[in-house]
């Protein structure tokens, strides 16, 4: 409290100083000197570290634009944005700075907008002062009293819809002492999206008020779209680098159990606090309308997957990103797979064989195969390729109307029995994942493939157990 | 004008059913019968009463369609003070009739039947006065949109779909079906000025700090139906305006007392 008073006094003195040019004693570091225009960046980029040792007047120009953009492959959405992209521009200032904020609402927009910066102390966090009609701009100013990583968002009614359409971003108020130098800083923000069409339904999807109120999003994504941080868009670092992630959750509704698969956060600054990091954290909880930043050294090369560890969001709704670390392997820290042996617990082998023989009816006709294959598909394949055969954009290729299945059936048999790995182009989209090999017997492989070939607009081929035997890669584990 | 016929018929059916008098004037106005509805927000001078209270509306005449560029051009020809090169600075921002881009500062022939936009409240009010009309009140406008509860779900969807898509070329007025009162284009084409556009949300005051505002969660405290996102959008849009503002999506239509 005392501190805040001191700052307020500093600000007041400063104002008089400006008008009367009367020098006055001020708290160290809170004196405003110099003026600059804030560098704003689109995710995943972060503006450069602040190196000045004094407070300054900082001018922020942020333009609100309503734009149509990609939400997932073949799916577009009308985003409402701070600066043209979701999330909004990253703003970086220093504790004690005086910010002159210009909120510009593009004349093509249909909606009024404003901004509530959680870094602002004052009614509405700026929202009350910044309600702006299309074609107009509002100016307000504030003093950055508290250091930390803060969310900003639009707060015009209906607030939930403005936020659901992508109106959020992060503002970092660096502490007076500054922040340590790291090799990479990245900006990641999670949001949930409510489209009228189901996940994967193609075309321009309007906002669904009903799903938003029910809190049932079709998409949960990082940086405004499924795949915005995967493949070529993956974040990149080199072995031995220190990485700092600024992670926010725009919501409007879901929180994030943020996790990087295969990494341990050396430090997590919970809720964006700059004072006391927690150490050695696996998963950190980030509230809707909240943020955290975390630092870790990448010791082992490879691809690290960022997820919301509420996993169906990652698997089925898009909350998945990648950090690719290049460099030489270090077997002392991580060996990689050393051996792969068949594991046969004592006494179970026989029972399994008997059981599978008893359960598995043999198909007599193609129609039988399709019917039996469906069950096998739903048990083994649907988790990734989906019951609709549509797959998951950026992660799992589609089996529906799939050009991968248009020629001979041999590659499909090889894929199921031997697995697949690495780059693969299906229906014009590139995938780079892993499919394990399946220990299904010839009859089962024949049935599931026949089901796939006779579903979702594929060619209608029949695959027989003899075909499978001919092209099989790995032997069946339980048949010998 | 191509919409005269359907307006006349639907309005006639309604008027015989509801108030039994001829309902279409020579200027394509429709007599909207009196009734009551539940406003989304109450006016600030009523802010202490219950938000769910029904508000009575007297019968009034309302333009069947938004005012077109053609009609606004005729008005400007007759009243040169409202020409874009003559208009007084206090009555508009710098975008007044910005879409009238030819050398004479007049409407593009291709746009004549489209709704006029980029007009300030002052210009809209002046136009209506010149026709011996006035702007509708927000309650009258919202009552007309509420349409006695007809087809509510579809209307809400239509509104959200319009708001969800960035600017498109404006259609000619009356291109889509009229509502139950025989009124066209209330939603899905442009926003419209009302006489008392910004008198609904009270600013914070000492008795009731903060909770009558239209930002963040507190905006929903006062609403009759917090699930009606489209209504929030209309009221917050109006709240963001000042009388001299113009917008690429902002036009108007006129009303008149029924006497």
């Amino acid at each position: 409290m005392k501190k805040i008073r001191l700052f307020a006094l500093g600000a007041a003195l400063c104002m008089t100083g400006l008008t009367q040019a009367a020098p006055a004693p001020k708290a160290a570091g809170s004196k405003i000197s110099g003026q600059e225009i804030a560098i704003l960046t689109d995710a995943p980029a972060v503006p450069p570290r602040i190196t000045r040792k004094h407070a300054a007047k900082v001018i922020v120009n942020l333009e609100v634009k309503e734009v149509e953009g990609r939400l997932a492959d073949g799916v577009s959405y009308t985003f409402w944005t701070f600066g043209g992209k979701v999330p909004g521009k990253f703003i970086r200032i220093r504790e004690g700075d005086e910010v002159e904020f210009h909120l510009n609402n593009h004349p093509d927009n249909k909606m009024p907008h404003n901004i509530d910066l959680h870094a602002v102390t004052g009614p509405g966090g700026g929202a009350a002062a910044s309600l702006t009609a299309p074609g107009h701009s509002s100016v307000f100013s504030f003093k950055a009293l508290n250091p930390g990583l803060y969310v900003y968002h639009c707060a015009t009614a209906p607030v939930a819809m403005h936020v659901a359409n992508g109106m959020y971003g992060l503002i970092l108020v660096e502490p007076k002492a500054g922040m340590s130098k790291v090799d990479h800083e990245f900006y990641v923000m999670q949001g949930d999206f409510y489209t009228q069409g189901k996940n994967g339904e193609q075309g321009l999807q309007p906002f669904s008020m009903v799903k938003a109120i029910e809190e049932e999003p079709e998409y949960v994504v990082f940086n405004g779209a499924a795949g915005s941080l995967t493949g070529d868009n993956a974040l990149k670092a080199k072995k031995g680098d220190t990485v700092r992630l600024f992670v926010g959750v725009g919501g409007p509704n879901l929180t994030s159990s943020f996790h990087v698969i295969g990494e341990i956060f050396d430090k997590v600054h919970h809720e964006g606090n700059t004072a006391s990091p927690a150490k050695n954290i696996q998963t950190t909880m980030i509230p809707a309308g909240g943020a955290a930043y975390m630092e870790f050294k990448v010791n082992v090369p490879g691809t690290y997957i960022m997820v919301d560890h509420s996993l169906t969001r990652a698997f089925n709704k898009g909350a998945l990103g990648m950090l690719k670390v290049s460099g030489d392997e270090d077997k002392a820290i991580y060996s990689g797979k050393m051996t792969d042996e068949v594991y046969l617990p004592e006494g179970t082998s026989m029972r399994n064989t008997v059981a599978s023989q008893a359960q598995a009816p043999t198909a007599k006709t193609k129609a039988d195969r399709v019917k039996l294959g469906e069950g096998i598909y739903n048990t083994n394949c649907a988790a990734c390729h989906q019951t609709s055969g549509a797959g998951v954009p950026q992660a799992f290729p589609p089996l529906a109307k799939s050009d991968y299945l248009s020629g001979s059936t041999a590659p499909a048999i090889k894929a199921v029995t031997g697995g697949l790995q690495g780059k693969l182009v299906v229906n014009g989209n590139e995938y780079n994942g892993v499919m394990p090999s399946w220990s299904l017997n010839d009859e089962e492989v024949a049935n599931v493939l026949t089901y796939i070939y006779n579903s979702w607009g594929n060619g209608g081929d029949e695959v027989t157990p003899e075909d499978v035997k001919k092209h099989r890669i790995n032997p069946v584990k339980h048949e010998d | 004008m191509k919409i005269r016929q359907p307006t006349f018929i639907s309005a006639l059916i309604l008027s015989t059913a509801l108030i039994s008098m001829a309902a279409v004037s020579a200027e394509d106005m429709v007599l909207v019968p009196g009734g009551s509805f539940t406003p989304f927000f109450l006016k600030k001078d009523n802010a202490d009463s219950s938000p769910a209270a029904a508000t009575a509306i007297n019968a009034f005449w309302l333009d069947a369609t938004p005012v077109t560029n053609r009609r606004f051009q005729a008005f400007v020809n007759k009243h040169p003070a409202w020409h874009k090169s003559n208009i007084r600075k206090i009555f508009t921002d710098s975008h007044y009739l910005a879409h009238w881009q030819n050398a004479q500062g007049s409407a593009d022939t291709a746009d004549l039947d489209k709704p006029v936009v980029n007009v300030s409240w002052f210009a809209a009010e002046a136009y209506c006065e010149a026709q011996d009309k006035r702007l509708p009140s927000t309650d009258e406008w919202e009552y007309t949109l509420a349409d006695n509860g007809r087809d509510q779900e579809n209307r809400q969807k239509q509104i959200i779909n319009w708001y969800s898509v960035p600017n498109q070329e404006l259609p000619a007025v009356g291109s889509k079906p009229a509502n139950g009162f025989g009124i066209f284009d209330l939603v899905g084409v442009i926003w419209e000025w009302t006489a008392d556009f910004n008198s609904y949300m009270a600013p914070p005051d000492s008795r009731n700090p903060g909770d009558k505002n239209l930002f963040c969660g507190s905006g929903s405290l006062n609403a009759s139906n917090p699930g009606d996102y489209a209504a929030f959008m209309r009221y917050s849009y109006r709240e963001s305006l000042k009388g001299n503002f113009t917008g690429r999506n902002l036009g108007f239509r006129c009303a008149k007392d029924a006497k």
Side-chain angles (χ1 to χ4, degrees):
Chain A
M1 195 57 217
K2 227 176 205 170
K3 213 173 186 179
I4 291 171
R5 278 221 190 99
L6 198 64
F7 278 128
L9 184 67
L13 287 172
C14 197
M15 302 276 264
T16 31
L18 279 174
T19 46
Q20 299 175 357
K26 286 164 193 124
S30 72
K31 185 188 168 204
I32 306 284
S33 63
Q35 175 173 318
E36 59 189 50
I37 292 174
I39 300 168
L40 307 178
T41 58
D42 286 320
V46 175
R49 258 176 354 116
I50 291 174
T51 48
R52 61 183 151 79
K53 299 290 178 217
H54 58 86
K57 180 174 177 183
V58 180
I59 295 169
V60 176
N61 279 299
L62 199 52
E63 184 185 44
V64 178
K65 281 190 216 159
E66 298 165 8
V67 294
E68 188 182 323
R70 176 188 169 282
L71 177 57
D73 281 340
V75 183
S76 59
Y77 188 78
T78 300
F79 297 99
W80 297 351
T81 70
F82 286 110
K85 295 226 165 94
V86 179
K89 302 273 186 190
F90 195 107
I91 306 167
R92 189 168 198 159
I93 56 175
R94 180 185 177 276
E95 181 182 359
D97 282 355
E98 188 180 300
V99 179
E100 181 182 298
F101 206 101
H102 296 247
L103 187 71
N104 310 312
N105 194 352
H106 195 280
D108 274 345
N109 294 344
K110 282 182 176 156
M111 303 298 300
H113 298 287
N114 62 10
I115 191 166
D116 169 355
L117 298 126
H118 291 178
V120 171
T121 314
S130 62
L131 183 62
T132 309
H136 286 259
S137 71
S138 298
V139 183
F140 64 99
S141 73
F142 67 92
K143 195 164 171 74
L145 297 179
N146 306 70
L149 180 64
Y150 298 95
V151 167
Y152 67 80
H153 63 93
C154 183
T156 304
V159 188
M161 181 180 180
H162 283 255
V163 172
N165 285 345
M167 298 198 76
Y168 43 76
L170 291 180
I171 175 168
L172 173 64
V173 183
E174 284 199 24
K176 280 180 187 161
M179 292 178 89
S180 63
K181 198 163 184 278
V182 292
D183 297 299
H184 302 279
E185 292 185 324
F186 298 114
Y187 172 21
V188 177
M189 208 156 176
Q190 180 175 322
D192 24 311
F193 287 87
Y194 303 84
T195 53
Q196 284 182 8
K198 285 200 174 318
N199 184 297
E201 203 168 305
Q202 304 285 288
L204 177 65
Q205 291 294 330
F207 169 74
S208 166
M209 189 173 85
V210 174
K211 287 177 189 172
I213 292 173
E214 299 290 322
E215 302 189 19
E216 286 172 355
E218 293 293 342
Y219 297 88
V220 182
V221 298
F222 295 133
N223 291 356
S228 59
L229 291 173
T230 61
D232 290 343
N233 302 323
L235 306 178
K236 289 173 189 75
K238 282 200 285 294
K239 178 185 154 189
D241 285 351
T242 309
V243 174
R244 181 182 286 144
L245 296 179
F246 295 102
V247 184
V249 174
N253 295 319
L254 300 189
T255 60
S256 179
S257 303
F258 189 77
H259 177 79
V260 176
I261 299 172
E263 262 304 338
I264 296 161
F265 302 131
D266 298 334
K267 290 182 197 167
V268 172
H269 289 259
H270 283 134
E271 322 248 329
N273 88 85
T274 54
S276 49
K279 291 186 177 166
N280 302 327
I281 302 293
Q282 53 187 318
T283 300
T284 192
M285 192 72 203
I286 306 175
Y293 64 97
M294 53 231 52
E295 294 165 16
F296 52 96
K297 191 172 173 188
V298 285
N299 295 308
V300 179
T303 299
Y304 296 87
I305 310 286
M306 294 177 276
V307 294
D308 178 342
H309 216 292
S310 295
L311 284 170
T312 55
R313 299 175 191 170
F315 254 65
N316 306 90
K317 295 185 173 178
L320 198 135
M322 290 176 180
L323 169 66
K324 286 188 177 167
V325 178
S326 58
D328 300 327
E329 289 181 43
D330 185 345
K331 300 270 187 191
I333 297 176
Y334 183 71
S335 69
K337 192 169 193 169
M338 295 164 85
T339 59
D340 183 343
E341 290 163 353
V342 174
Y343 173 60
L344 291 176
E346 226 169 296
T348 55
S349 166
M350 183 62 79
R351 198 164 67 230
N352 271 354
T353 312
V354 171
S356 76
Q357 276 170 357
Q359 283 169 358
T362 315
K364 306 232 161 30
T365 64
K366 183 173 159 186
D368 275 0
R369 272 194 210 297
V370 171
K371 206 171 151 204
L372 292 170
E374 182 175 6
I376 299 167
Y377 181 85
N378 288 335
T379 312
N380 297 290
C381 318
C384 295
H385 295 289
Q386 309 297 305
T387 46
S388 64
V392 172
Q394 313 283 330
F396 307 114
L399 301 176
K401 291 199 194 94
S402 173
D403 58 7
Y404 185 82
L405 302 172
S406 59
S408 145
T409 59
I413 295 168
K414 289 184 172 31
V416 173
T417 57
L420 265 184
Q421 192 161 359
K423 278 195 181 170
L424 182 68
V425 176
V426 178
N427 294 351
N429 295 314
E430 192 178 288
Y431 298 85
N432 194 352
V434 178
M435 167 160 144
S437 64
W438 295 91
S439 54
L440 299 169
N441 65 32
D442 294 346
E443 171 78 17
E444 289 166 332
V445 174
N447 293 350
V448 74
L449 284 175
T450 304
Y451 169 69
I452 291 166
Y453 276 108
N454 288 275
S455 304
W456 320 304
N458 288 324
D461 309 44
E462 180 174 6
V463 178
T464 64
E466 291 69 40
D467 297 333
V468 178
K469 189 162 277 167
K470 204 166 126 198
H471 298 292
R472 167 180 285 287
I473 304 268
N474 290 338
V476 185
K477 284 177 183 169
H478 293 299
E479 277 189 349
D480 46 10
Chain B
M1 206 178 155
K2 70 180 175 202
I3 55 147
R4 183 167 294 167
Q5 204 62 14
T7 311
F8 180 75
I9 291 164
S10 60
L12 191 66
I13 292 165
L14 264 166
S15 62
T16 44
L18 296 167
I19 40 165
S20 69
M21 66 179 281
V24 175
S25 80
E27 280 79 38
D28 296 305
M29 292 192 97
V30 171
L31 185 66
V32 179
S36 71
F37 84 118
T38 305
F40 189 67
F41 283 110
L42 289 169
K43 291 185 84 128
K44 55 187 166 194
D45 46 4
N46 290 333
D48 290 335
S49 45
S50 151
T55 294
I57 302 290
N58 294 325
F60 63 101
W61 294 91
L62 187 65
D63 286 350
T65 68
V67 173
T68 57
N69 285 303
R70 184 193 302 278
R71 291 187 172 189
F72 202 80
Q73 179 74 67
F75 161 73
V76 169
N77 292 348
K78 226 170 158 183
H79 302 88
W82 295 95
H83 190 276
K84 62 191 280 192
S85 55
N86 302 337
I87 187 169
R88 292 181 61 184
K89 291 278 180 291
I90 56 162
F91 289 145
T92 183
D93 63 20
S94 57
H95 296 296
Y96 179 65
L97 296 175
H99 63 300
W100 291 13
Q101 283 177 341
N102 61 33
Q104 297 80 38
S106 57
D108 202 348
T109 24
D111 292 342
L112 287 174
D113 292 320
K114 294 177 184 176
V116 66
V117 291
N118 291 319
V119 283
S120 65
W121 181 90
F122 295 103
E125 184 63 32
Y127 172 94
C128 291
E129 272 176 33
Q131 332 287 318
D132 201 19
K133 299 179 188 174
R134 59 175 172 80
L135 285 170
S137 71
T138 304
D139 279 348
E140 284 171 339
W141 196 97
E142 289 282 328
Y143 167 75
T144 311
L145 179 69
D147 202 12
N148 281 334
R150 284 174 285 240
D151 207 17
Q152 205 161 350
E153 205 166 295
N154 192 32
R155 180 172 59 246
Q156 222 176 52
K157 217 169 179 177
Q158 201 187 339
I159 294 172
I160 298 251
N161 288 354
W162 178 66
Y163 295 149
S164 301
V165 177
N167 269 348
Q168 292 157 328
E169 191 67 16
L170 290 176
V173 299
S175 312
K176 288 177 200 154
N179 78 358
F181 290 131
I183 301 289
F184 293 83
D185 303 329
L186 281 169
V187 292
V189 182
I190 49 165
W191 299 99
E192 293 182 18
W193 283 110
T194 57
D196 51 350
F197 60 94
N198 60 358
S199 58
Y200 280 76
M201 254 46 60
D205 68 34
S206 52
R207 289 168 304 147
N208 220 341
D211 65 357
K212 293 281 200 281
N213 267 308
L214 195 55
F215 60 83
C216 221
S218 59
S220 67
L221 290 181
N222 234 18
S224 60
N225 175 12
D228 187 351
Y229 281 19
F232 275 118
M233 287 189 255
R234 294 194 301 276
Y235 281 87
S236 60
Y237 182 81
R238 291 185 197 118
E239 180 69 6
S240 75
L241 299 174
K242 289 188 178 137
N244 65 337
F245 282 18
T246 65
R248 277 183 206 179
N249 292 300
L250 178 57
F252 69 102
R253 72 180 77 212
C254 306
K256 199 174 177 178
D257 292 348
K259 268 170 199 154

